[in-house]
Amino acid sequence: MTVKEIVSAVKKNRSEIKSVYFVGCGASMSELFPGKYFLEANAKKLRVSIYTANEFIYSTPAAVDESAIVITCSLSGTTPETVAASKKAMDSGACVISVTHIDGSPLAVASHYQIIHGFEKNYAAKMEKMTLVLALAAEILNTYEGYKYYDDMEAGFGKIYDLIETAVSSSLPAAREFAEKYQDIPLLYVMSSGATQMVSYSFSSFLLMEMQWIPASSFHDGEFFHGPFELVDRDVPYLLLMNDGPTRPMDSRALTFLKRFDAKVTVLDAKDFGLSSHISASVAEYFNPMLISGVLRVYAEQLALVRNHPLTKRRYMWKLEY
């Protein structure tokens, strides 16, 4: 079923929805965030939350009932915590929509509706999960409350995949330079804001710490001047993800400070890839995460090549019981 068909079916069975919960683990939870961010920013009545799956299981919100939609997400559809959370939501009476790459997976089975996304074909396909979750959020909002920029969002969904591929194709030289510069780095700070704030978390926690065993930390640009900026010094390494949209002033303020003290800064700027030149400014901010994440994937792959450390290499994951 398409996103539109799913939400239409939900509406027929549940005329009133009061809450929407996004539930996942690790990178999948991060990829749910743009949908949550969009819905929270634009919904006037719907209650919106995001949970890591185990917390959802152990501390289930009281509002998870027949008036709730729970969106669960796992690439393989086998993440035990997320499958259990999906079952818990169903048992609580919520309408559960799973987002996974594998049709018929345990997560797909533990849901009322399934969104099956791509992954292998190209870089744009790797962003389908995040993009389809955003589309789902937009469809829920428009169906239950209405959304004046719905047509602009629809147009954006028709353009974002080609834009990702174009951005990726131009990024290889810069990605290679980044990999050469940072291959032996002892620590990297990753920063962003707005809809992209969890992309900085995802890149630091998963592509760096999990897949490259590089110590990393991430924080919101709006919080930078409330603690983290005390560590800024000459040649301290930062990766700043700059948004094309209303939270950009926070990104720019952070960049100005980093340059002031000669920190070693790499900037990935959605404006450089023409985001708002292709997607209406009314909704462009919500597409920053997909565009920047697509480019970051190239950066991670180049880092893996230079370091001779494949992104699939693990020390504990898939090797131990934990």
Side-chain angles (χ1 to χ4, degrees):
M1 297 176 73
T2 66
V3 166
K4 292 180 185 296
E5 290 170 341
I6 289 171
V7 177
S8 177
V10 174
K11 178 68 172 177
K12 287 180 182 178
N13 294 316
R14 305 184 190 226
S15 59
E16 184 180 26
I17 290 294
K18 297 180 180 179
S19 304
V20 180
Y21 295 92
F22 296 85
V23 181
C25 297
S28 288
M29 185 183 72
S30 300
E31 290 172 303
L32 289 169
F33 183 81
K36 181 261 188 185
Y37 181 89
F38 164 83
L39 205 49
E40 196 168 49
N42 293 285
K44 296 179 179 178
K45 297 178 181 179
L46 288 170
R47 176 179 177 177
V48 185
S49 299
I50 191 166
Y51 277 78
T52 188
N54 245 1
E55 185 167 353
F56 185 86
I57 295 166
Y58 291 123
S59 185
T60 310
V64 177
D65 57 20
E66 293 80 4
S67 67
I69 293 174
V70 177
I71 301 165
T72 58
C73 184
S74 165
L75 177 65
S76 66
T78 60
T79 307
E81 298 91 335
T82 307
V83 174
S86 209
K87 291 177 179 177
K88 177 95 174 190
M90 290 185 77
D91 290 344
S92 299
C95 173
V96 180
I97 303 170
S98 62
V99 184
T100 179
H101 181 44
I102 308 298
D103 195 8
S105 64
L107 184 65
V109 171
S111 62
H112 298 102
Y113 304 98
Q114 301 78 38
I115 295 174
I116 309 300
H117 62 83
F119 189 78
E120 292 87 3
K121 182 179 178 181
N122 53 25
Y123 291 93
K126 289 175 172 53
M127 299 303 115
E128 281 187 22
K129 186 200 305 184
M130 195 186 299
T131 307
L132 288 170
V133 169
L134 178 62
L136 178 59
E139 199 66 34
I140 290 170
L141 179 64
N142 193 56
T143 298
Y144 283 93
E145 291 191 20
Y147 178 51
K148 65 179 179 178
Y149 297 122
Y150 177 77
D151 289 342
D152 291 341
M153 287 292 287
E154 287 292 286
F157 291 125
K159 296 176 180 178
I160 188 61
Y161 293 125
D162 286 343
L163 188 55
I164 290 168
E165 286 300 302
T166 300
V168 163
S169 67
S170 66
S171 298
L172 186 57
R176 185 71 179 188
E177 180 181 352
F178 172 86
E180 295 285 355
K181 182 185 296 185
Y182 288 94
Q183 61 178 307
D184 297 318
I185 211 74
L187 173 69
L188 181 65
Y189 296 111
V190 190
M191 307 165 56
S192 195
S193 68
T196 312
Q197 62 188 268
M198 289 297 282
V199 176
S200 62
Y201 165 74
S202 182
F203 187 75
S204 64
S205 293
F206 311 119
L207 286 164
L208 292 180
M209 288 198 283
E210 176 189 329
M211 300 183 189
Q212 288 297 293
W213 306 348
I214 294 175
S217 183
S218 64
F219 41 85
H220 192 291
D221 288 342
E223 284 292 292
F224 179 59
F225 295 98
H226 304 279
F229 78 141
E230 285 293 338
L231 290 179
V232 173
D233 204 349
R234 184 179 182 86
D235 291 334
V236 175
Y238 289 84
L239 174 61
L240 178 61
L241 313 177
M242 294 193 68
N243 291 275
D244 188 350
T247 67
R248 187 178 179 86
M250 287 189 286
D251 306 332
S252 298
R253 183 187 177 201
L255 179 59
T256 297
F257 190 86
L258 291 168
K259 288 183 175 180
R260 178 179 171 185
F261 292 97
D262 295 322
K264 185 186 291 184
V265 187
T266 298
V267 176
L268 275 185
D269 189 343
K271 272 187 176 292
D272 290 341
F273 303 113
L275 180 60
S276 59
S277 297
H278 293 82
I279 294 177
S280 173
S282 62
V283 298
E285 69 166 311
Y286 306 116
F287 292 89
N288 280 289
M290 300 85 188
L291 181 59
I292 291 175
S293 291
V295 174
L296 276 175
R297 184 78 185 189
V298 182
Y299 277 59
E301 288 172 353
Q302 288 302 305
L303 197 58
L305 285 171
V306 170
R307 300 181 74 242
N308 193 29
H309 186 123
L311 294 176
T312 54
K313 187 176 181 178
R314 297 292 187 276
R315 183 160 36 195
Y316 306 122
M317 188 176 286
W318 310 316
K319 297 178 181 293
L320 302 174
E321 292 291 330
Y322 50 87

